[in-house]
Amino acid sequence: MATPVISLERTDPYHPPAAHLEILRSDAPISRVQLPDGRRLWALTRHEDVRAMLADPRFSSDRRDPRHPSHTPYVGPDHRQQLIEMDPPEHTQLRRSVVGEFTVQRLAAWRPRIQQIVDESIDAMLAGPAEVDLVEALSLPVPSKVISELLGVPYTDHDFFQDNSAEFVRADSTPEQKKAAIGNLQGYIAGLVQEKVKSPGEDLLSRQIAAGTELEELQALGFLLLIAGHETTANMISLSVATLLDKREHLAALREDPQLTVGAVEELLRYFSIAEIGAARLATADIEIGGVLIQAGEGVMGLTNTANRDPLVFPEPDEIDFTRMARNHLAFGFGPHQCLGQNLARLELEIVLATLVRRIPGLRLAVPFDEIPFKEKGPNYGVFELKVAW
Amino acid sequence: MRIVAQPDRCVGAGQCVLVDPEAFDQDDKDGTVIVVRPRPESEAEIARAKEAVNVCPGRTLSLSVED
Ligand code: HEM
Ligand code: SF4
């Protein structure tokens, strides 16, 4: 039988591609598939199988190997591996050196400041015309400002930072513009690290320098922290708001009981699982997963958006249920690479949703839901623009 | 019943702390888990301990029923 070709492109704004769900429901939930560009790999769709794969470090994240599903020809031989593409033991060591900054307790201290940042963005919205693109007014600036402060970017540079990072998530920016923006940000981070060496402050970069992290390593890490959490969090903010304004019974539920917000965030993360290619790995040994032998050298992809609709784990998986409190979803991945910034993302989402619901009770979509430009091609699902009014 | 942790496997994601902040904490430096209340007593505490074991991305936590 010919290997089925699957596309990662979504066709329904609320659901993973139908072909992925079919694999999940078939008698071969681990299937050999082919991507439209011809790459062959194993698609894993069951929650249990995706978790088993991601928890096993013999499935490698090292993208330098051309057989890795996320392999990209690197800029040059001096390419410095990012945390996200390392394997243990290097990965473990680097992750341990920074994850202390992102513990639940440490982040809880940021709550008041994040609330202020969100309030300022909403003040600005309310001061202008009663119709805006929420992506530009709120979804992109909030995570950008928060990570800027965490890293210790001086306030006067926030605009530079935000403009450049917005450049490579815009729908209409060319590859050249994106490349230039990445170059600008990398150059900026390098300068900032030098600055912190000279005059340390109370921030993540300064603490890393004090702890002896190599400067080049720190530049790479700073850049990753900046980009990994920007578009992803923005996409989740926009999708969450679009959903609440489309399915208004959920909005009403949040207004009735703001305590539901934490559960809403978790459920919306599960429901959208936006990181479409976050769980790509290369098998470095023959490994059996869910009764299937995956051979060394084969690529695998955990379809987390589909696994998060596994009815064995999430009853009525296509229903949005804010009371489900299912924290075992895979929106942030699983295993050693599980999102480093997840608790920051949770906090930002919770504060944004609660504050919007409270402060702009008349918020509504300014275009029909079907006309929202969704990022159906990935690699992160989201929306390009979200016109709202009040 | 006792919660057992293998901190060398911990990835510091703090899922356990989200599930039960009274039972779990994280080291300030390397983010690894500290079990502050190893023995769940009430049914609710036991349920939360089980949930923490289930969600833990590092497969760091387990429940020992012997002791
Ligand atoms: C809703 C927002 C977010 C989503 C959906 C998301 C999703 C993910 C996923 C799926 C992974 C795992 C990738 C893999 O297994 O290879 C990951 C890793 C990562 N994320 Fe996030 N993320 C979000 C927000 C953030 C934020 C706010 C930050 C930083 C401040 C961040 C920083 C990182 C880093 C550094 C890694 C690599 C961790 C490692 O390799 O050990 N993310 N994220
Ligand atoms: S959930 Fe597991 S991996 Fe995460 S901090 Fe707790 S013990 Fe460590």
Side-chain angles (χ1 to χ4, degrees):
Chain A
M1 202 180 75
T3 313
V5 179
I6 63 160
S7 164
L8 297 177
E9 193 168 330
R10 296 201 187 205
T11 49
D12 179 322
Y14 281 119
H15 301 291
H20 299 193
L21 293 165
E22 257 167 50
I23 300 176
L24 170 66
R25 293 183 197 120
S26 77
D27 52 10
I30 300 181
S31 277
R32 284 183 194 276
V33 298
Q34 194 176 341
L35 297 180
D37 63 10
R39 278 176 298 162
R40 285 160 190 276
L41 42 83
W42 289 99
L44 278 60
T45 56
R46 276 196 315 197
H47 187 265
E48 188 189 336
D49 297 337
V50 175
R51 292 216 304 183
M53 186 275 284
L54 289 175
D56 187 334
R58 293 174 299 168
F59 286 101
S60 166
S61 287
D62 187 343
R63 300 169 190 185
R64 289 174 301 186
D65 192 314
R67 296 170 301 174
H68 194 285
S70 297
H71 172 76
T72 36
Y74 284 114
V75 198
D78 59 340
H79 169 75
R80 191 166 190 106
Q81 269 192 298
Q82 303 274 5
L83 179 70
I84 205 162
E85 33 182 13
M86 290 177 179
D87 289 330
E90 290 78 17
H91 173 264
T92 319
Q93 206 189 350
L94 182 58
R95 180 154 170 140
R96 290 255 162 95
S97 75
V98 66
V99 73
E101 295 277 347
F102 293 90
T103 65
V104 175
Q105 291 286 349
R106 286 285 280 279
L107 290 173
W110 281 89
R111 182 183 281 275
R113 181 61 193 134
I114 298 174
Q115 180 69 58
Q116 247 173 14
I117 289 172
V118 171
D119 275 325
E120 283 162 16
S121 295
I122 294 180
D123 289 343
M125 268 170 73
L126 291 174
E131 181 176 317
V132 295
D133 171 13
L134 195 83
V135 174
E136 211 172 292
L138 194 69
S139 310
L140 282 170
V142 167
S144 168
K145 284 185 185 150
V146 171
I147 196 67
S148 296
E149 294 208 3
L150 233 85
L151 290 176
V153 174
Y155 197 76
T156 43
D157 294 341
H158 279 196
D159 283 347
F160 168 85
F161 225 52
Q162 211 174 297
D163 292 348
N164 277 287
S165 39
E167 187 72 42
F168 61 101
V169 301
R170 263 189 19 228
D172 53 354
S173 57
T174 63
E176 288 73 37
Q177 283 170 320
K178 287 186 194 186
K179 214 170 156 198
I182 291 174
N184 287 345
L185 289 172
Q186 279 172 332
Y188 180 80
I189 292 269
L192 185 63
V193 167
Q194 289 306 332
E195 201 54 43
K196 300 286 173 191
V197 171
K198 275 189 256 149
S199 45
E202 293 284 319
D203 52 64
L204 187 153
L205 292 180
S206 301
R207 281 189 289 273
Q208 290 288 314
I209 293 166
T213 308
E214 208 196 312
L215 295 188
E216 270 183 42
E217 185 103 274
L218 188 53
Q219 289 165 12
L221 185 65
F223 182 71
L224 178 65
L225 287 174
L226 176 69
I227 55 166
H230 188 219
E231 192 194 353
T232 43
T233 310
N235 285 339
M236 269 314 299
I237 292 175
S238 306
L239 287 169
S240 301
V241 174
T243 304
L244 291 176
L245 300 183
D246 181 45
K247 300 180 184 284
R248 298 191 72 94
E249 67 277 18
H250 295 302
L251 180 64
L254 280 192
R255 185 161 296 139
E256 184 102 333
D257 180 8
Q259 304 243 16
L260 263 185
T261 315
V262 172
V265 167
E266 220 54 52
E267 177 67 346
L268 291 162
L269 283 163
R270 175 190 79 86
Y271 205 70
F272 287 110
S273 303
I274 59 167
E276 312 278 34
I277 53 165
R281 300 288 189 268
L282 176 67
T284 61
D286 294 352
I287 306 161
E288 197 193 300
I289 297 280
V292 173
L293 184 71
I294 294 172
Q295 287 178 330
E298 292 184 314
V300 298
M301 195 173 276
L303 299 175
T304 47
N305 53 18
T306 308
N308 275 340
R309 301 292 178 98
D310 186 339
L312 290 177
V313 181
F314 309 104
E316 306 283 343
D318 296 333
E319 295 297 312
I320 295 177
D321 177 359
F322 292 169
T323 65
R324 197 189 285 272
M325 274 328 284
R327 295 185 195 275
N328 53 342
H329 64 71
L330 302 169
F332 291 120
F334 196 71
H337 289 277
Q338 195 186 50
C339 183
L340 185 76
Q342 58 181 290
N343 294 318
L344 183 60
R346 284 191 172 97
L347 200 55
E348 292 180 40
L349 283 163
E350 183 203 323
I351 295 172
V352 165
L353 294 188
T355 312
L356 266 186
V357 168
R358 182 166 44 81
R359 290 195 56 191
I360 318 188
L363 196 66
R364 58 186 160 79
L365 291 173
V367 292
F369 184 82
D370 314 333
E371 286 171 26
I372 296 171
F374 289 95
K375 299 178 180 175
E376 62 270 342
K377 288 195 168 65
N380 286 310
Y381 185 55
V383 309
F384 286 111
E385 185 186 82
L386 184 62
K387 284 265 159 62
V388 295
W390 57 90
Chain B
M1 190 181 279
R2 192 164 61 90
I3 303 171
V4 184
Q6 294 170 269
D8 56 313
R9 297 181 56 94
C10 178
V11 307
Q15 297 262 53
C16 52
V17 184
L18 289 181
V19 171
D20 194 344
E22 285 164 19
F24 303 97
D25 197 1
Q26 287 169 275
D27 184 286
D28 236 10
K29 283 225 164 53
D30 65 9
T32 53
V33 63
I34 302 164
V35 185
V36 287
R37 198 208 50 216
R39 290 182 188 280
E41 303 282 349
S42 69
E43 248 174 66
E45 287 173 4
I46 292 171
R48 285 200 295 273
K50 286 185 177 158
E51 194 191 346
V53 170
N54 178 29
V55 300
C56 170
R59 303 245 153 113
T60 308
L61 304 171
S62 56
L63 286 178
S64 153
V65 278
E66 273 103 71
D67 52 2

